[in-house]
Amino acid sequence: MAIGISFQWLFLLCLVSSVPFSLSRITPRFPSSLISPEKVSVSTTTKLYKTSYFTQTLDHFNFLPQSYQTFQQRYLINDTFWGGAKTKAPIFVYTGNEGEIEWFAQNTGFMFETAPHFKALLVFLEHRFYGKSIPFGGDKEVAYSNTSTLGYLSSTQALADYATLIIDLKNNISASESENCYQVIKESWQQIKDTAKTSKGINLLRKSFKLCKNYEYIGDYLESWLSTAFVYTAMTDYPTPSNFLNPLPAYPVKQMCKAIDNPKSGRNSNTFEKVYGAANIYYNYSGTATCFDLEDNSDPHGLSEWSWQACTEIILPTGGSTNESIFPAYEWHYSDRASSCQRAFGIHPRRTWITTHFGGFNISETIVAIVAKEGAHHVDLRFSTKEDPEWLKEVRKQEVRIIEGWISQYYHDLAHLSF
């Protein structure tokens, strides 16, 4: 599938010595790092990048049996500021050189500082035979032993590594955003229902989703539990870490999809593992939960009376589409809502009261709704941070200008009142 992602290659400048060249000169050793990349504080490296591995081909240019051997090539990735494949945001790639890739990433601040401006994805690729990207099972003694193994260390092989990895990365990025994450969740609902029909299946669901016990209607319970996770994560999809409903990372929806596509689970991992990984972002990002109680009705934020308002005057029609929604197909009927409200509270909803009393469309020319494509539930009202994206900063600037206009207009009108 063709995808429109622009590419930016960042090539390294070679330092040219002014000292005359001499074959008799001994090649100088690189200085030892005072702090090895692996020993830099966890908080620093976590903010800079995440580490991944790619199964790389040993020999790109021949068709000998040994050419098809593979090794694990390390790369570092930072998607904090990335605008996404659909927006044609660029990928900035650092092509690794002679050393551990973390060492270079931690000393290439220019890429991190310019990424917000371009909404770029940052990728640092490690050069074969360096760092942790060692062929022959990662054994340096074997890899460095003689010319038959070191013969695979060349600039042309390295460039082929980079091209292969980048193409695969682009394809996976596109799939994870537009197809795979969506498809896995969409297909999981029916699989859960089918599995819940037998006692063996119930035990499988309990184990897969780390439930505290079995439930008689486990399929329905799980559907509600998972839907809650997906809905509220989307609602609080903030660009910075938060603890509004639950502790969540920055861009938690993206993290859910990453959990579904997590290479650690492997391509053959089942749907339940992937969906559990996504739900775990919402329910257990702190890592403190050991099992989940699907009958937990605790109300830590004091929201219980919302059900009364949702049954009296705030009637919100919601439904799902079989063809498009990631949720199970559901056709909303007012009569169903009215019946449930009657059972719960013994009252009948005033279905049109909100629009009758407040109006449902353009209330005023001066009450402006600012539409932010990447917005989330009152994200603009949250405390600002250094990590806030540019679009959020601009939204807040617009709001300040609007408020200034209200205040200015108020005092202007007050000054011209006639009694």
Side-chain angles (χ1 to χ4, degrees):
M1 177 175 61
I3 55 177
I5 303 178
S6 58
F7 248 102
Q8 184 103 12
W9 288 83
L10 299 180
F11 290 99
L12 304 176
L13 295 177
C14 297
L15 295 177
V16 181
S17 173
S18 60
V19 179
F21 178 77
S22 171
L23 289 175
S24 62
R25 284 187 176 274
I26 299 174
T27 304
R29 290 173 57 87
F30 284 104
S32 299
S33 176
L34 295 177
I35 304 177
S36 70
E38 298 295 340
K39 294 181 180 178
V40 174
S41 68
V42 174
S43 61
T44 301
T45 57
T46 300
K47 291 180 180 179
L48 284 179
Y49 49 74
K50 294 180 180 179
T51 303
S52 295
Y53 289 87
F54 176 73
T55 301
Q56 188 60 264
T57 301
L58 178 63
D59 183 2
H60 297 280
F61 303 105
N62 296 289
F63 299 91
L64 301 172
Q66 62 266 32
S67 300
Y68 295 92
Q69 293 183 36
T70 59
F71 67 96
Q72 293 302 299
Q73 182 179 9
R74 180 169 58 163
Y75 66 96
L76 314 177
I77 191 165
N78 182 309
D79 61 359
T80 304
F81 306 103
W82 193 42
K86 293 181 180 178
T87 64
K88 298 183 179 180
I91 300 175
F92 288 178
V93 178
Y94 183 103
T95 54
N97 37 334
E98 66 285 6
E100 296 209 13
I101 193 60
E102 287 193 297
W103 179 32
F104 293 106
Q106 292 165 18
N107 289 278
T108 311
F110 178 75
M111 288 178 64
F112 294 97
E113 292 171 356
T114 55
H117 176 74
F118 292 99
K119 297 183 179 179
L121 176 69
L122 303 183
V123 183
F124 295 80
L125 308 181
E126 190 163 61
H127 197 297
R128 57 167 58 201
F129 283 81
Y130 290 101
K132 293 187 177 180
S133 302
I134 308 297
F136 304 102
D139 190 330
K140 289 185 178 181
E141 289 189 9
V142 175
Y144 299 168
S145 61
N146 54 59
T147 56
S148 65
T149 54
L150 281 171
Y152 296 103
L153 171 55
S154 69
S155 58
T156 52
Q157 293 281 8
L159 287 173
D161 288 343
Y162 300 151
T164 303
L165 195 159
I166 290 166
I167 291 171
D168 184 84
L169 181 65
K170 289 175 66 178
N171 288 335
N172 285 337
I173 286 171
S174 176
S176 65
E177 287 208 336
S178 62
E179 295 176 5
N180 191 43
C181 184
Y182 163 84
Q183 203 63 37
V184 167
I185 295 175
K186 186 176 177 65
E187 293 174 355
S188 68
W189 307 112
Q190 190 59 49
Q191 291 185 38
I192 289 172
K193 283 187 176 182
D194 293 341
T195 305
K197 291 178 181 179
T198 66
S199 57
K200 183 178 179 180
I202 290 174
N203 288 329
L204 174 61
L205 290 173
R206 177 183 178 180
K207 181 179 179 182
S208 298
F209 290 95
K210 292 183 170 54
L211 306 181
C212 298
K213 62 179 182 179
N214 285 339
Y215 300 86
E216 183 179 358
Y217 301 103
I218 192 169
D220 294 332
Y221 275 117
L222 269 177
E223 182 178 308
S224 175
W225 187 73
L226 291 171
S227 295
T228 296
F230 300 144
V231 167
Y232 284 123
T233 300
M235 187 181 90
T236 56
D237 191 33
Y238 300 134
T240 54
S242 66
N243 190 16
F244 179 55
L245 296 179
N246 283 341
L248 289 173
Y251 296 109
V253 171
K254 186 181 291 185
Q255 298 304 319
M256 277 188 164
C257 286
K258 282 185 177 181
I260 287 176
D261 293 324
N262 187 353
K264 292 182 180 179
S265 61
R267 294 181 181 271
N268 296 323
S269 60
N270 64 49
T271 298
F272 297 157
E273 290 178 48
K274 295 178 179 180
V275 174
Y276 167 75
N280 204 45
I281 297 295
Y282 178 76
Y283 287 114
N284 192 30
Y285 186 68
S286 62
T288 57
T290 56
C291 69
F292 300 100
D293 180 6
L294 301 188
E295 294 178 317
D296 180 11
N297 292 317
S298 59
D299 183 22
H301 302 293
L303 303 174
S304 59
E305 297 314 307
W306 169 254
S307 57
W308 167 264
Q309 291 187 277
C311 266
T312 52
E313 55 183 7
I314 307 175
I315 309 302
L316 302 175
T318 57
S321 166
T322 304
N323 297 323
E324 297 178 2
S325 176
I326 64 168
F327 297 102
Y330 172 71
E331 187 175 349
W332 189 86
H333 294 286
Y334 170 72
S335 58
D336 294 335
R337 170 61 64 84
S339 297
S340 66
C341 292
Q342 186 66 41
R343 290 193 300 270
F345 300 107
I347 52 96
H348 193 78
R350 295 180 181 177
R351 184 178 184 180
T352 61
W353 176 245
I354 286 292
T355 52
T356 301
H357 187 66
F358 294 102
F361 301 98
N362 296 326
I363 300 174
S364 166
E365 290 183 0
T366 60
I367 300 179
V368 181
I370 299 175
V371 179
K373 185 178 180 181
E374 299 174 83
H377 185 57
H378 60 54
V379 63
D380 52 329
L381 302 182
R382 298 183 62 77
F383 283 101
S384 61
T385 71
K386 292 184 295 184
E387 291 78 24
D388 286 342
E390 291 301 317
W391 65 263
L392 180 54
K393 294 177 183 178
E394 183 56 36
V395 164
R396 288 178 175 141
K397 288 178 182 178
Q398 290 183 54
E399 291 172 341
V400 169
R401 289 195 293 268
I402 291 169
I403 294 170
E404 288 173 342
W406 291 343
I407 296 173
S408 176
Q409 186 64 48
Y410 169 77
Y411 283 108
H412 175 273
D413 293 346
L414 195 63
H416 292 81
L417 282 177
S418 57
F419 296 95

